[in-house]
Amino acid sequence: MVLPAPLPAISLPAPVCPQCIDQSQEIARLREDLASREAELKDLRSSQREQVKMIQETTREATRAKAKLRRLATQADAASYLAEVEVALAALRATLPGAPPPMLVLAQGLLDAAAAPFREGDYGAAMDRTAQAEQLVSVVADQLPRAGRARVPGEVALSVTIPLRVVADTHLRREPAAKAALVASVKKDSPVTAQAYKGGWMRVAIEDGRIGWMSQAQLGAR
């Protein structure tokens, strides 16, 4: 008796689940979005490293320039520097309630001590003492965020404050954002002092002691 040949196996298509297809497409989209975000993050980190290098080099150049200025100081240079630090100290003191902190008292003492060499024509020594006073003023100003002015997340404080000027009429803002609340309007060529940066923004103090953020594009060397 001859047995019939077995029937060939029939491959049936896998059942199609519409929900599974949607989930697969969503997973693929999320993976693509994640890859894009990771690429953006890599670019931002690279940009930030370049900005850090630029700020560090600018800080070193400013420090060297200040040292040279003190060595070659004239009477007018010393008088201008003394007046600038005295204004900054007075503005900072006005923002603090009660008695000034000991560090500001010490800064005032250094400014008073700079008067003697200034009268004697030793303008380099006068500027050295003024620079020491300026550093103390900067330290106290840097402590202000803990006393009420919150630091912006991600901001990087400068190790040395940098004197700059405003290159065009602009605005001082409460945060590093174009639509942040306005602190003050600042005229072209106004002097400011840079204290920190975040992205394309600098935290600066203006002449009356108010502090806020300006776009780096609006700032130039003084």
Side-chain angles (χ1 to χ4, degrees):
M1 178 179 180
V2 179
L3 296 175
L7 295 174
I10 300 175
S11 58
L12 297 176
V16 177
C17 170
Q19 186 176 0
C20 295
I21 293 176
D22 291 343
Q23 288 179 346
S24 297
Q25 291 175 343
E26 180 65 11
I27 289 171
R29 188 190 66 78
L30 289 173
R31 284 177 176 168
E32 184 178 344
D33 188 51
L34 178 60
S36 174
R37 298 291 182 186
E38 287 178 343
E40 289 178 6
L41 183 59
K42 184 178 179 181
D43 290 342
L44 286 172
R45 284 173 177 166
S46 176
S47 175
Q48 188 175 37
R49 282 194 295 270
E50 290 301 318
Q51 286 180 347
V52 168
K53 289 179 182 178
M54 182 182 69
I55 292 295
Q56 288 174 340
E57 181 58 31
T58 301
T59 299
R60 284 192 291 267
E61 288 177 0
T63 302
R64 288 194 293 266
K66 281 188 176 182
K68 184 176 181 180
L69 176 63
R70 291 197 291 269
R71 288 196 303 270
L72 304 176
T74 64
Q75 182 179 14
D77 294 330
S80 175
Y81 191 27
L82 272 163
E84 180 183 333
V85 177
E86 284 174 348
V87 168
L89 191 152
L92 182 58
R93 182 181 290 166
T95 66
L96 300 172
M103 203 169 288
L104 275 192
V105 175
L106 180 57
Q108 184 64 64
L110 286 167
L111 282 179
D112 295 341
F118 181 84
R119 286 193 300 269
E120 296 167 2
D122 189 355
Y123 304 125
M127 290 189 73
D128 281 337
R129 292 181 184 176
T130 304
Q132 294 166 4
E134 183 183 35
Q135 287 298 310
L136 294 178
V137 170
S138 298
V139 169
V140 175
D142 250 3
Q143 294 173 346
L144 282 182
R146 293 191 290 273
R149 180 172 55 82
R151 283 188 182 277
V152 171
E155 75 171 72
V156 180
L158 301 177
S159 58
V160 178
T161 57
I162 302 175
L164 300 172
R165 68 178 180 87
V166 178
V167 298
D169 291 354
T170 187
H171 299 299
L172 185 71
R173 298 192 178 276
R174 195 177 304 279
E175 295 177 352
K179 294 184 179 180
L182 189 66
V183 174
S185 294
V186 186
K187 294 292 186 182
K188 179 181 178 180
D189 291 329
S190 296
V192 299
T193 302
Q195 302 173 341
Y197 74 95
K198 180 183 180 182
W201 293 79
M202 299 287 290
R203 171 159 59 81
V204 302
I206 60 177
E207 284 185 291
D208 63 7
R210 284 182 288 178
I211 295 172
W213 293 86
M214 284 186 184
S215 169
Q216 293 179 16
Q218 302 298 321
L219 299 170
R222 194 189 304 180

